Amino acid sequence: MNEEIKYALDYHQETKHSQMSIRLSNHYLDWDNKPKSFKFYNNIPPIALPTDFPLPKLNVITMKETNHVTALETPKINTELLSSLLFFSSGITRQMKFPHGKYYMRAAPATGALYPIEVYIVSENINGLQAGVYHFCPGEFSLTRLREGDYRQFLYEAAGFEQAIMNSPFTIILSSIAWRNAWKYQARSYRHWFWDSGVIAANLIATTTSFGLKTKLITGYVDKFVNELLSLEENKEASIVLAPIGIGLSKQEPSKIQYPSRFVPEIVPISSGKEVEYEEIWKLHNASSLNSTDQVCQWTRSINSMQEIGDVKEDYVESSSIHIEPIPNNTQSLSDVILLRGSTRKFSREPITFEQLSNILYSLAGPTPSDFGEKKSFMDIYFIANDVTNLQKGAYFFNRMDNSIDLLKANIRRDMSGFLCLEQTLFSDASVVFYIMSNIKSILDKLGNRGYRLCQFEAGILAGRIYLSAYNQKIGASGSTFYDDAVTDFFSPHAKGKDAMIAVGIGTPGYRSKPGQVLAGKFSRDELLS
């Protein structure tokens, strides 16, 4: 079914936002049935993770050649290092109280602060942890062992004989609980699976690179095999990406292991009432699944045969082209940047500098260590500059082939960026609003329905980089949804045939906020469920 791309095209069209669709929607938020933000197992005791873990100090946010970063010494693979990676990608950094309850904010952002993404680990024996398959709970800061034994060989085969999995001491896997985000965003929430996992992946890559650990994001694998390995409940949750960590540092040769038995452990219900299933989500997810190792290998070859970045320059009328002027400022440690990060709720309308904008764009220019983004990208980056020193107000395209920005439309009214982001004043107040876009049809023609996952996932990674680079320079950022076709129309004719994936606004916050804290291990299960 992956080749029948009408599934992805239909889903994307049916879940577009427009002024009409927003105004006619009768969806409301049932706060009494709001999903809980944590997954707890009823009959399997958790294993506490160490909270005295190393902090990622090397700031790699604006470094293009991050693949060449090496640690001063070989990292020690142990539970302390694993704890650091888990915390700085998805650990709790803030506790906040709102009228509808407490929110436990995390190291990476999530749409609506609903946190649909769950984290699993498939590990060999490492210092402090036996080989097995584990679920990570950021609330208790603990692991729950779902299976005993080294399953890396099984995962290696599921991923089309991906050698990085065999050579790594452990692989982190991200999954999504569908209802947790669909409670608010309905069928469109399938897009959010990949946005939210993408920003976590951006944090994870920055953190592993800071420690000198080689990482690779793997999006091609047999879905059924991985979902059953993680004991996920069918049509309620599903895996998204595999990330082998510390490639080349494995100390043990994995042995052939029996196919894991199918079982779904009992969990604490995430909602007190009925969960609504949106069949549009599962129709596309199943249609974009790979069902055999042969299909995975074929799909990976299709990615490798796609055109590399830099081969062809887009055909458009260039009215003004300006080279960016990055001046990377990496005085803050990466841990401080991640703890500072939050989603800005008010921008002050003060300008940001051209150098700050350049640094953010520079952070987007490098490759993604993955099975899809080493030399290519599926994304194009557009933005509206409302207030940047030494830069004309207008709409721009960032040309990553030569690190330049091209003026598409001059003297854009400031409220245009807010209008495109569902008429939110927050994004009219932002100094710059990025619109990450892609030619979905072209990618689906080559990669099938699964290409849709890649588009949304890479957009999430780039959004995560924007967040990190903005907070690295002590300015704020906030993600947004948008009026789909209005974004394409606005940036056309340059963006003709492209679709918006995600929007992110940046600017000077209109308030002072305190940095987050390392809150690992500070909360009990009873507190988190109350």
Side-chain angles (χ1 to χ4, degrees):
M1 290 175 67
N2 186 52
E3 291 77 19
E4 299 174 31
I5 64 171
K6 80 176 195 67
Y7 289 96
L9 293 173
D10 288 350
Y11 170 84
H12 190 72
Q13 185 64 34
E14 290 166 3
T15 58
K16 284 182 176 181
H17 280 328
S18 67
Q19 287 181 283
M20 184 71 72
S21 71
I22 294 296
R23 283 158 175 73
L24 292 179
S25 173
N26 60 2
H27 180 61
Y28 70 96
L29 297 182
D30 181 0
W31 289 100
D32 291 334
N33 199 33
K34 180 180 179 291
K36 296 177 176 63
S37 299
F38 303 98
K39 182 177 185 179
F40 292 111
Y41 296 88
N42 274 332
N43 302 313
I44 312 175
I47 303 166
L49 282 165
T51 56
D52 184 18
F53 46 74
L55 305 181
K57 296 179 180 178
L58 178 62
N59 192 326
V60 298
I61 292 167
T62 54
M63 297 176 66
K64 269 183 82 171
E65 301 302 328
T66 53
N67 285 341
H68 299 301
V69 175
T70 55
L72 296 177
E73 56 185 30
T74 302
K76 295 180 180 179
I77 305 299
N78 52 32
T79 49
E80 286 79 10
L81 179 61
L82 174 61
S83 295
S84 185
L85 301 182
L86 294 172
F87 177 81
F88 286 103
S89 57
S90 54
I92 297 176
T93 59
R94 291 178 175 89
Q95 180 186 8
M96 304 178 73
K97 293 182 180 180
F98 291 96
H100 293 290
K102 295 178 183 177
Y103 281 73
Y104 298 91
M105 315 306 280
R106 303 192 194 179
T111 47
L114 295 169
Y115 303 105
I117 305 305
E118 296 290 329
V119 182
Y120 295 81
I121 300 96
V122 177
S123 178
E124 68 180 12
N125 287 311
I126 63 173
N127 189 8
L129 191 70
Q130 292 182 349
V133 178
Y134 295 86
H135 170 261
F136 168 60
C137 177
E140 290 182 309
F141 205 67
S142 64
L143 296 179
T144 299
R145 186 167 65 188
L146 303 175
R147 299 183 188 275
E148 296 182 15
D150 187 345
Y151 280 86
R152 289 177 301 146
Q153 172 82 25
F154 175 81
L155 204 59
Y156 155 79
E157 294 177 7
F161 311 105
E162 173 55 64
Q163 198 62 40
I165 292 173
M166 294 281 277
N167 294 337
S168 301
F170 55 84
T171 292
I172 289 176
I173 304 176
L174 304 183
S175 73
S176 178
I177 296 178
W179 168 237
R180 197 180 277 159
N181 200 265
W183 169 79
K184 181 174 182 178
Y185 297 105
Q186 301 175 279
R188 189 176 168 101
S189 64
Y190 187 62
R191 304 184 187 201
H192 299 205
W193 290 21
F194 305 98
W195 299 350
D196 290 349
S197 56
V199 293
I200 291 173
N203 273 30
L204 181 62
I205 292 169
T207 305
T208 56
T209 304
S210 181
F211 284 120
L213 296 166
K214 189 176 180 183
T215 305
K216 184 176 181 179
L217 303 175
I218 298 168
T219 57
Y221 55 87
V222 181
D223 295 74
K224 177 180 171 63
F225 291 175
V226 174
N227 292 342
E228 292 190 349
L229 178 67
L230 304 182
S231 300
L232 304 184
E233 189 169 356
E234 193 172 2
N235 287 347
K236 285 196 173 185
E237 51 188 339
S239 56
I240 295 172
V241 65
L242 320 178
I245 308 293
I247 298 171
L249 298 180
S250 172
K251 302 293 186 182
Q252 301 155 31
E253 184 74 25
S255 56
K256 188 78 173 177
I257 202 159
Q258 198 171 21
Y259 189 94
S261 59
R262 173 70 176 156
F263 83 106
V264 178
E266 183 181 320
I267 66 168
V268 176
I270 65 168
S271 275
S272 58
K274 182 180 178 181
E275 297 181 17
V276 179
E277 183 178 309
Y278 292 90
E279 63 178 18
E280 304 97 314
I281 290 175
W282 295 106
K283 186 184 295 185
L284 175 55
H285 190 74
N286 293 333
S288 61
S289 294
L290 302 175
N291 300 316
S292 69
T293 302
D294 287 343
Q295 282 189 9
V296 173
C297 294
Q298 181 182 353
W299 187 76
T300 304
R301 286 193 296 270
S302 297
I303 293 179
N304 293 335
S305 68
M306 290 181 69
Q307 188 175 29
E308 293 187 353
I309 268 187
D311 283 358
V312 176
K313 186 178 178 68
E314 295 222 15
D315 183 20
Y316 63 92
V317 177
E318 181 180 316
S319 58
S320 179
S321 186
I322 306 166
H323 281 276
I324 63 172
E325 298 176 0
I327 306 175
N329 179 9
N330 292 330
T331 55
Q332 294 188 88
S333 69
L334 178 61
S335 59
D336 286 343
V337 173
I338 291 176
L339 290 174
L340 185 62
R341 188 216 63 78
S343 288
T344 303
R345 299 269 61 93
K346 182 180 180 181
F347 291 115
S348 66
R349 287 206 171 200
E350 294 178 15
I352 65 170
T353 66
F354 182 65
E355 289 76 16
Q356 287 173 319
L357 173 61
S358 295
N359 287 338
I360 291 173
L361 292 172
Y362 186 73
S363 74
L364 304 178
T368 300
S370 64
D371 59 0
F372 64 88
E374 294 286 3
K375 296 181 180 179
K376 58 183 72 68
S377 172
F378 300 130
M379 297 299 108
D380 288 320
I381 298 164
Y382 294 81
F383 63 91
I384 295 175
N386 287 323
D387 203 348
V388 179
T389 58
N390 301 318
L391 184 67
Q392 183 177 3
K393 293 182 180 180
Y396 291 85
F397 170 72
F398 175 42
N399 191 328
R400 285 184 283 176
M401 291 183 289
D402 58 9
N403 284 334
S404 67
I405 57 176
D406 304 311
L407 179 63
L408 305 178
K409 297 180 181 180
N411 300 317
I412 302 300
R413 286 183 46 161
R414 186 157 195 157
D415 59 2
M416 177 54 72
S417 57
F419 167 76
L420 294 176
C421 294
L422 270 53
E423 302 173 58
Q424 299 178 82
T425 56
L426 177 67
F427 296 94
S428 296
D429 294 339
S431 298
V432 173
V433 181
F434 296 94
Y435 300 87
I436 301 172
M437 305 185 73
S438 183
N439 188 325
I440 291 177
K441 177 61 165 61
S442 174
I443 292 162
L444 295 177
D445 284 340
K446 296 178 175 65
L447 300 179
N449 292 305
R450 203 175 187 89
Y452 189 77
R453 300 191 193 183
L454 290 197
C455 291
Q456 300 289 3
F457 181 57
E458 188 187 359
I461 293 171
L462 295 181
R465 289 183 184 176
I466 291 171
Y467 268 95
L468 291 173
S469 185
Y471 282 90
N472 185 46
Q473 301 174 93
K474 299 187 176 179
I475 56 179
S478 189
S480 179
T481 191
F482 41 83
Y483 291 136
D484 293 70
D485 290 340
V487 174
T488 300
D489 292 343
F490 174 75
F491 286 105
S492 290
H494 191 284
K496 184 179 179 181
K498 298 176 186 177
D499 288 273
M501 298 290 102
I502 196 170
V504 184
I506 61 169
T508 303
Y511 55 91
R512 287 190 178 185
S513 61
K514 294 181 180 179
Q517 299 174 284
V518 177
L519 297 179
K522 300 294 184 183
F523 307 104
S524 69
R525 179 176 296 199
D526 289 342
E527 286 179 278
L528 298 165
L529 289 174
S530 65

